């Protein structure tokens, strides 16, 4: 048998063994056995010295080729085996991805605060500052400065929790109008503020009344602020809160601290104005009160009504939230049943 | 007031505008119309019947069989149970198949064996309220005062086909509490001039001022006080047309005299009162303030002890009426009255308001006197009432007027600057348009060079300054025509101040950690209000609370959170982690207003949330609460300056499981477990709470952040485990370690706490990891060993620690 034939035989046998190897260890053994220093190919190569000068290079290169072929066959088979191992591992590691994830804690902001936060951010974008004021107010700021003297019939509109003759739970956020007017330096530009907060009325709590609720006051005073500016501003608010398609309607009303005074209706967001249960079949929903600041309010706070003027509005976050989310009982806001609160977990409305 | 469409159309041409459409227009230009009432709504097949004959029901002692002409070929038989049914009456018949009040259907039927073709009705049965039905028909069927066409629907004969516009007035527009005022308002809106009939009086005989002497002791409080005497009257029911006007406005017809005073009040908005002249023994009328505790019985039979602030009408000696509020039983007009003294007056609104409030007598009269009276029409209304008494009661009107006081102020003149109107409204309304609106309002004016001088009629006492006139122009021009713009002018910066930012940070962090935000009531019971505070102040109490549950201002937020917890526990919500941010109220010496301190408080109860199939469930504990506090303090930048000190001074908290939180020697809050006694009293499970004073944190100055590069040299960690007496606190150990740890010690963290038999009674093992870092070099083992030796020997010496 020639060396060449012997090599052919080794190759065939080797390839067979490689194909048959079913794990990496066996394949390694084959590599050592076939291609190692004591392996048959090395043995063959040792016999080269007995060959003629002509044959030696031929057989030599043939032997190297076979060595190479076997080596790459081993590599290929190794890849196949690695792949199989990986497949087995992946199958083994498979989990039920439909099981729930490990929950991250998430708290829900109170819906009234979400409503207030949203309005605050809207007005900050419009260049308003946010003003805080005391919840326990003096009669002076709550009423007198707002053009509501003692025994004024308008005091009937707001049943008041008095603490002493002069001290009370504020019935509205309007006293912060007077407080900011007194403080503001008009030489530095217009006064544009909102003031949200808790207010109190002497009411029995029921589905539509709460002795504690929230208000958000707005006030803009400058040398030339018009009622048209008020209308435009309120349109921005109505559309921001209740949807871009909302129209607003102004109706005459009365507040001692504004003249002219208006109530503001929005076109019903439930029916678009055609009339439904939400708007009591009128197509309109009353949402807030507003007006041009009464000259007496300005002059009492030391601002000259001949030079300065502007608008004020007051809206109810409780009412806004009730309307927008169909809350039928105002007490739900203050009972804090977690099931109620969690309905507003989605903060992107 | 309910404005009758039919009555209104006698004063102003309504141009056939549908009542609902008119109401909508009035709402948008002037006064909110709450609803348009149709008294005949839902009623049908109710007609006039003429009872031809009656006979007793053979099987009943109270039913009557009536033969009734209902305009059909034959009379029908109707069984009637009313005691006042009689032959020849014209009555209200509900035919078979009709609908009466409350959507009730009437069927043909038999009553105790006798056929009944419908029902003869009382007014209540066709929708009248008990309070307006004339007394004689209150407990029986209604009988028309005169013949009506049989078989015709009854609605037009009873004023039920009228439409009533319910004017929901604001306090400034009491001028529309009379038909004339309403006519001016509607007329201005639809560009129609209202027309009112003239009052023509035939006066004869004695002078009013001779028959009655009048004196007003308080002319300041009674700017007008006028009396007129009408003699020889015959008391009887008013004609039906007048009764209709009253009952459609919620007023019960009584007799012609009382009805006339009420009718003229509805016409002019001027309350009137009629006294029985013969009951006034001294033939005098006086107006004065009451004496303290002066006794008086009003005509509703109620007995009063008057106050010195009440104005009273007297017969010269004793009171015969509470001025502007209610007359007295002792001078009431009765069936026997022959001569009446009519009173028309203007009383001080504040005085009337005070009396009406304390007596809780909010009458049609007091409401109008409180809100204002048209000073120009006082005398006219008095004359109008006299005229009606002549017409309807056969009265003889005595000459002239007995005047107690008659100060009628001049109408105000107010300048209107057309440029100012447009400046305020942001409009371009022409001067001509403005003048047209003033004409529609029936205001006199002089069109001067640059301004318009407007004379405001006395009937519009709500108008006194230019801004009031601007409102009149604006509303009648139409708010729908205002442009929509945004304020221009110098740019202003909108931003949250530091306090608002801090509060937002606090809320945001607690929310991110899974606490739900709540809003509780600020008004609580006294024990709730003053609990959970290191510095209880005198409780601030409402003068007139609505309920005892909400009578005191809170000095802590925890009581509210506990109420929220109780509510949730009652509704099977047992795992609760909530917080509230809000103010507490603290009295301050020598200061009127209490201090309002922004606080945040949180509460944990039940199982740690969120629960999942991956995590072992456990109950909230003290360290959940404390961890949250430390987290907050870290975000707020004061964690390093804060100490937690064991505290047993708050009665509602567990004395062994509470820490007060100290920042710069000031207690700024606490964290702890609700006291077992408190838990038991409120039926709560184990519950943890914390509260922090945000104002104290806000007032803490924070250093500017100056960044350093992260250290490039390796850090070194060394662990040390100690066995200590149980009463040695972690804080003591950490303090000592820090004191002795040298300048490269960057952190000390505890990683194990263990107590058990192995260690011994009253002992525990604490294990700490010390972190060292030299920012400028690699730390050498010898350096650290030296420090560690110093630390351990300090622990051994000072705390008797045993190093394991």
């Amino acid at each position: 048998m020639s060396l060449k034939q012997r090599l052919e035989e080794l190759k065939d046998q080797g390839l067979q063994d490689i194909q048959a190897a079913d794990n990496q260890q066996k394949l390694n053994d084959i590599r050592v056995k076939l291609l190692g220093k004591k392996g048959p190919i090395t043995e063959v190569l040792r016999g080269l010295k007995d060959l003629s000068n002509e044959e030696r290079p031929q057989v030599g290169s043939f032997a190297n080729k076979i060595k190479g072929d076997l080596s790459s066959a081993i590599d290929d088979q190794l890849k196949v085996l690695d792949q199989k191992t990986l497949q087995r591992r992946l199958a083994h590691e498979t989990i039920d991805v439909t099981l729930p994830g490990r929950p991250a804690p998430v708290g829900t902001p109170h819906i009234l605060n979400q409503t207030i936060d949203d309005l605050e951010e809207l007005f900050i974008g419009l260049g308003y500052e946010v003003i805080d004021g005391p919840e326990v107010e003096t009669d002076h700021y709550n009423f007198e400065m707002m053009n509501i003297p003692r025994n004024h019939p308008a005091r009937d509109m707001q049943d008041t929790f008095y603490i002493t003759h002069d001290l009370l739970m504020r019935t509205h956020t309007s006293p912060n109008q007077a407080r900011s007017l007194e403080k503001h330096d008009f030489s530095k530009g217009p006064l544009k503020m909102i003031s949200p907060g808790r207010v109190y009325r002497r009411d029995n709590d029921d589905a539509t009344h709460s002795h504690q609720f929230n208000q958000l006051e707005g006030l803009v005073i400058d040398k030339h602020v018009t009622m048209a500016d008020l209308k435009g501003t309120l349109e921005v608010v109505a559309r921001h809160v209740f949807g871009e398609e909302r129209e607003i309607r102004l109706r005459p009303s009365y507040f001692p601290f504004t003249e002219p005074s208006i109530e503001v209706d929005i076109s019903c967001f439930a029916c678009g104005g055609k009339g439904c249960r939400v708007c009591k079949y009128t197509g309109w929903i009353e949402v807030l009160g507003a007006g041009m600041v009464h000259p007496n309010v300005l002059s009492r706070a030391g601002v000259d009504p001949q030079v300065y003027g502007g608008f004020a509005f007051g809206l109810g976050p409780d009412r806004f939230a009730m309307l927008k989310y169909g809350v039928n009982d105002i007490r739900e806001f203050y009972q804090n049943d977690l099931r109620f609160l969690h309905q507003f977990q989605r903060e992107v409305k | 007031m309910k404005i009758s469409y039919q009555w209104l159309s006698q004063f102003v041409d309504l141009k056939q505008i549908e009542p609902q459409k008119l109401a909508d227009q009035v709402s948008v230009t002037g006064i909110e119309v709450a609803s348009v009432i149709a008294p005949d709504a839902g009623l049908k097949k109710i007609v006039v019947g003429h009872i031809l004959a009656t006979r007793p029901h053979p099987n009943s002692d109270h039913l009557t069989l009536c033969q009734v002409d209902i305009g059909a070929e034959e009379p029908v038989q109707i069984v009637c149970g009313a005691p006042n049914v009689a032959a020849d009456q014209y009555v209200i018949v509900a035919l078979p198949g009709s609908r009466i009040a409350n959507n009730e259907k009437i069927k043909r039927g038999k009553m105790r064996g006798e056929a009944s073709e419908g029902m003869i009705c009382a007014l209540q049965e066709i929708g009248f309220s008990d309070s307006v039905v004339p007394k004689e028909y209150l407990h029986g069927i209604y009988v028309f005062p005169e013949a009506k066409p049989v078989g015709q629907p009854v609605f037009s004969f009873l004023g039920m086909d009228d439409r009533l516009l319910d004017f929901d007035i604001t306090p400034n527009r009491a001028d529309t509490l009379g038909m004339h005022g309403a006519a001016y308002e509607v007329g201005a809106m639809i560009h129609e001039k209202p027309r009112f009939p003239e009052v023509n009086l035939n006066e004869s005989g004695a002078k009013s001022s001779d028959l009655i002497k009048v004196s007003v002791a308080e002319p300041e409080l009674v700017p007008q006080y006028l009396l007129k005497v009408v003699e020889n009257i015959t008391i009887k029911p008013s004609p039906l047309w007048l009764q209709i006007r009253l009952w459609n406005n919620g007023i019960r017809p009584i007799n012609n005299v009382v009805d006339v005073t009420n009718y003229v009040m509805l016409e002019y908005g001027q309350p009137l009162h009629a006294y029985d002249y013969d009951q006034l023994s001294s033939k005098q009328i006086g107006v004065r303030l009451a004496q303290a505790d002066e006794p008086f019985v009003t005509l509703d039979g109620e007995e009063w002890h008057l106050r010195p602030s009440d104005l009273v009408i007297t017969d010269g000696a004793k009171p015969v009426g509470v001025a502007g509020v209610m007359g007295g039983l002792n001078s009431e007009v009765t069936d026997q009255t022959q001569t009446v003294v009519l009173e028309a007056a203007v009383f001080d609104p504040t005085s009337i308001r005070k009396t009406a409030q304390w007596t809780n007598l909010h009458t049609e009269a007091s409401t109008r006197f409180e809100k204002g009276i048209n000073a120009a029409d006082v005398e006219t209304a008095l004359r109008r009432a006299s005229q009606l008494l002549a017409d309807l009661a056969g009265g003889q009107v005595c000459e002239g007027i007995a005047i107690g006081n008659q100060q009628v102020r001049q109408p105000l003149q107010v300048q209107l600057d057309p440029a100012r109107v447009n400046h305020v409204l942001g409009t371009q309304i022409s001067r001509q348009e403005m003048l047209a609106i003033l004409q529609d309002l029936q205001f006199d004016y002089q069109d001067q060079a640059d301004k318009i001088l407007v004379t405001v009629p006395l009937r519009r006492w709500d108008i006194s300054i230019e801004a009031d006139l601007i409102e009149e122009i604006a509303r009648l021009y139409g708010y729908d025509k205002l442009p929509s713009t945004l304020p221009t002018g110098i740019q202003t910066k909108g931003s949250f101040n530091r306090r608002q930012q801090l509060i937002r940070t606090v809320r945001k962090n607690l929310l991110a950690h899974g606490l739900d935000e709540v809003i509780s009531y600020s008004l609580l019971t006294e024990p709730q209000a003053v609990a959970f505070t290191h510095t209880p102040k005198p409780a601030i109490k409402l003068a007139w609370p609505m309920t005892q549950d909400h009578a005191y201002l809170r000095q802590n937020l925890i009581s509210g959170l506990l109420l929220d917890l109780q509510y949730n526990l009652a509704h099977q919500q047992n795992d609760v982690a909530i917080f509230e941010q809000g103010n507490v109220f603290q009295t301050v010496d020598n200061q009127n207003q209490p201090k309002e301190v922004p606080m945040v408080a949180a509460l944990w109860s039940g199982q740690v949330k969120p629960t999942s199939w991956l995590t072992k469930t456990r109950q909230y504990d003290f360290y959940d609460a404390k961890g949250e506090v430390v987290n907050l303090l870290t975000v707020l930048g004061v964690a390093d300056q804060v100490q937690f000190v064991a505290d047993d001074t708050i009665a509602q908290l567990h004395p062994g499981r509470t820490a007060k939180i100290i920042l710069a020697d000031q207690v700024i809050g606490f964290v702890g477990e609700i006291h077992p006694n408190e838990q038991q009293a409120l039926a709560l499970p184990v519950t943890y709470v914390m509260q922090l004073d945000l104002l104290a944190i806000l007032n803490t100055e924070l250093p500017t952040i100056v960044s350093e590069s992260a250290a490039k040299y390796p850090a070194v960690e060394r662990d040390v485990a100690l066995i200590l007496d149980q009463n040695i606190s972690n804080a003591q150990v950490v303090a000592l370690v820090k004191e002795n740890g040298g300048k490269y010690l960057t952190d000390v963290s505890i990683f194990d706490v263990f107590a058990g038999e192995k260690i011994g009674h009253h002992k525990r093992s604490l294990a700490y990891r010390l972190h060292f870092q030299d920012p400028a070099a690699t730390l050498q083992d010898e350096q650290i060993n030296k420090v560690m030796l110093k630390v351990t020997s300090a622990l051994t010496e000072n705390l008797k620690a045993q190093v394991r």
Side-chain angles (χ1 to χ4, degrees), chain B residues 318-615:
Chain B
K318 64 176 189 302
V320 292
V322 181
V325 178
M326 199 179 272
L329 205 54
N330 54 10
S331 60
E332 193 186 12
V333 171
T334 66
D335 291 349
Q336 279 72 49
T337 300
Q338 292 174 345
T339 303
V340 295
V341 181
L342 283 174
E343 168 202 274
V346 178
F347 300 110
D348 175 59
T350 305
S351 166
I352 299 299
R353 187 179 142 82
K354 273 189 200 158
T355 302
Q357 272 188 333
W358 84 257
T359 56
N360 204 20
L361 288 173
H362 297 283
T363 58
E364 294 274 351
S366 71
T367 305
R368 286 174 172 82
F369 283 120
E370 274 181 50
K371 292 179 178 164
I373 292 290
N374 178 5
D377 269 354
V378 182
E379 189 178 333
T380 316
L382 187 65
R383 288 162 51 80
R384 168 69 170 154
S386 307
Q387 179 199 34
L388 282 169
L389 284 187
D391 293 350
L392 308 177
Q396 205 178 324
V397 181
C398 296
E399 292 222 356
I401 286 169
I403 299 173
N405 197 10
Q406 194 172 23
Q407 299 167 24
V408 186
R409 68 167 169 86
Q410 285 302 305
L412 287 177
Q413 293 201 309
V414 180
Q415 276 199 336
L416 182 68
D417 177 353
R420 179 87 187 159
V421 174
N422 286 320
H423 177 89
V424 169
L425 299 180
T427 46
Q428 288 172 333
I429 306 172
S430 73
R431 192 187 194 93
Q432 283 315 310
E433 283 176 281
M434 293 184 201
L435 295 177
I437 289 169
L438 293 173
Q439 277 162 24
D440 283 340
L441 285 163
Q442 311 301 322
F443 288 2
D444 288 337
Y445 61 82
Q446 293 165 39
D447 192 3
Q448 297 170 336
D450 51 343
K451 304 207 169 165
I452 303 165
L453 187 64
V454 180
T455 304
V456 182
L458 292 176
R459 63 181 162 81
R460 288 300 304 277
W461 60 90
D462 59 314
I463 295 175
S464 58
I465 57 173
E466 188 180 38
D468 298 328
L469 288 175
I470 293 175
E471 177 165 50
E472 296 298 301
I473 302 282
R475 69 186 181 89
L476 290 168
Y477 171 74
Y479 286 124
D480 54 332
K481 289 191 231 159
L482 278 191
S484 289
T485 52
L486 286 177
T488 50
I490 300 170
Q491 284 280 307
T492 49
K493 175 190 77 127
S495 64
F496 293 114
N497 62 28
R498 194 160 173 269
R499 173 191 166 120
Q500 290 154 355
Q501 282 171 351
L502 182 131
I503 285 172
R504 284 189 162 234
T505 302
V506 167
R507 290 175 50 219
K508 198 175 70 187
N509 269 274
L510 293 171
L511 287 165
H513 295 162
L515 284 95
D516 292 315
E517 186 177 34
V518 299
I519 299 179
S520 315
Y521 292 125
S522 307
L523 296 169
L524 299 168
T525 67
E526 185 171 20
Q528 288 164 351
V530 300
F532 298 105
T533 168
H534 282 105
T535 51
K537 309 273 186 193
I540 307 170
K541 188 179 193 267
L542 300 181
W544 298 102
M546 205 71 191
T547 70
Q548 287 312 309
D549 287 347
H550 307 295
Y552 290 85
L553 274 78
R554 64 179 178 185
Q555 294 180 29
N556 75 92
L557 302 185
I558 306 292
S559 292
L561 294 180
L562 290 176
L563 288 169
D564 299 332
L565 174 62
Q566 283 181 300
Y567 189 91
N568 276 288
L569 291 172
H571 296 86
Q572 299 84 46
Q573 303 299 302
N574 301 323
D575 305 326
V576 177
I578 51 177
F579 79 96
E580 175 166 13
Q581 194 286 311
N583 289 338
V584 303
F585 304 85
Q586 299 170 345
T587 46
V588 179
D589 290 345
N590 306 320
Q591 194 180 306
N592 186 21
Q593 273 168 288
K595 188 175 165 197
E596 297 183 17
V597 185
M599 295 266 182
V600 66
L603 173 151
W604 296 262
S605 187
Q607 267 181 24
V608 173
K609 292 197 296 183
T611 53
S612 110
W613 62 283
L614 292 158
T615 30

Side-chain angles (χ1 to χ4, degrees), chain B residues 23-300:
Chain B
D24 290 345
Q25 255 179 288
V26 173
S27 284
V28 173
T29 58
I31 288 151
E32 185 171 358
V33 180
S35 59
V36 176
I37 299 157
D40 59 3
L43 307 178
K44 64 171 188 185
K45 291 184 86 172
I46 302 172
V47 300
V48 175
H50 184 209
I51 302 176
L52 302 175
T54 64
R55 61 188 169 92
H57 191 297
N59 305 321
S60 163
D61 58 357
H62 69 279
L63 294 176
T64 308
L65 300 181
C66 308
Q67 296 304 310
V68 186
D69 177 3
I70 52 159
E73 277 175 30
E74 294 288 321
V76 296
Q77 173 171 288
I78 300 176
V79 181
C80 183
N84 63 333
V85 68
D88 206 28
Q89 288 173 333
Y90 286 86
V91 294
I92 304 164
V93 175
L95 298 174
S98 63
R99 295 239 176 229
I100 61 168
N102 302 320
N103 207 21
E104 203 177 310
K105 204 171 170 179
I106 298 303
K107 290 181 204 154
R108 181 173 287 117
K110 275 192 173 180
M111 288 180 85
R112 300 203 184 173
E114 288 289 341
S116 187
E117 299 281 324
M119 183 171 91
I120 302 174
C121 297
L123 287 174
Q124 294 95 317
E125 286 164 329
I126 57 169
F128 280 56
S129 149
D130 266 344
S131 64
V132 301
V133 174
K135 285 236 162 91
E136 53 183 317
Y137 302 120
L138 204 49
H139 304 294
I141 55 166
Y142 180 71
V143 182
F144 284 102
E146 67 249 339
K148 296 287 175 194
V150 291
Q152 292 288 308
V154 295
F155 307 124
S156 64
F157 305 126
L158 295 169
M160 297 175 76
D161 60 339
D162 200 355
R163 295 296 174 260
L164 309 170
L165 279 58
D166 188 0
F167 274 30
D168 191 3
I169 66 151
T170 48
N172 61 325
R173 290 306 307 275
D175 59 298
T176 60
L177 286 177
M179 291 306 298
H180 288 196
Y184 276 113
E185 178 62 29
V186 172
M189 181 183 83
I190 60 174
H191 319 294
E192 281 292 323
K193 184 176 180 173
R195 264 168 280 272
F196 305 108
E198 286 204 6
V199 179
N200 293 311
L201 267 186
N202 279 325
E203 298 182 348
S204 61
K207 281 182 163 181
S208 293
S209 54
D210 287 341
L211 293 173
I212 190 91
K213 295 291 167 204
V214 54
S215 63
V216 173
E218 305 287 339
E220 291 301 307
L221 299 178
V222 192
Q224 294 198 57
Y225 195 81
L226 313 177
L227 299 173
K228 200 161 176 64
V229 180
V230 182
E231 294 179 309
N232 295 326
I233 55 159
T234 309
I235 300 287
K236 58 181 178 183
S238 311
L240 189 51
W241 63 263
L242 194 154
Q243 295 196 26
I244 287 171
R245 297 295 184 227
L246 298 186
W247 70 42
N248 273 348
N249 236 298
I251 299 173
R252 188 201 309 279
I254 308 282
N255 58 44
N256 49 2
V257 173
V258 176
D259 292 356
V260 160
T261 60
N262 283 328
Y263 179 82
V264 174
M265 175 181 73
L266 293 178
E267 253 187 333
Y268 287 86
Q270 169 69 53
L272 299 169
H273 190 70
Y275 300 91
D276 186 337
Y277 180 73
D278 296 320
Q279 302 298 319
L280 304 170
S281 47
S282 59
K283 308 307 172 200
Q284 286 181 33
I285 289 271
V287 188
R288 61 162 167 85
L289 288 169
Q291 289 144 19
D293 283 329
E294 191 166 4
F296 182 63
V297 181
T298 42
L299 51 76
D300 56 2

